[in-house]
Amino acid sequence: MRILVIEDEEDLRDLICFTLESQFLAEVSQAACGHDAIRLLDESGPFDCVISDYSMPNGTGEDVYRHMLGKQLKTPFVLVSAYAAEAYPIFREHPIAGFVSKPDIFKPLKAII
């Protein structure tokens, strides 16, 4: 399973990646911002799942998701945010595969994966 993790907080990103690699034996790629994630999607795809924070410098989770929609990628998208997915119009218009609320993310994320 190939997973792309997008999170600007390095410690949290590393912890998410470690959890996915150890619990699911996933091959995990990571990006610190939306722009880097879009580049990885274009150059290193396809991924089996994308897990993304919403608010990040240099490209948001919404930017990534809109890019995926524009490219007609069917990759499941999981939002990890302090705000519910329904708070963002894009995720109401185009439902996502899952949502995990910060800060308690690991048990719900493991259930989705």
Side-chain angles (χ1 to χ4, degrees), residues 88-105:
Y88 306 103
I90 184 68
F91 304 124
R92 287 194 310 267
E93 296 168 23
H94 303 279
I96 56 177
F99 168 74
V100 178
S101 180
K102 283 184 178 181
D104 183 26
I105 67 170

Side-chain angles (χ1 to χ4, degrees), residues 14-52:
D14 288 344
L15 193 53
I16 293 170
C17 292
F18 174 78
T19 299
L20 294 170
E21 290 167 346
S22 63
Q23 297 278 323
F24 299 99
L25 302 177
E27 178 186 329
V28 180
S29 297
Q30 51 184 294
C33 68
H35 292 153
D36 289 347
I38 289 169
R39 182 183 48 74
L40 281 171
L41 284 166
D42 289 345
E43 295 175 4
S44 301
F47 291 94
D48 297 304
C49 182
V50 172
I51 299 169
S52 181

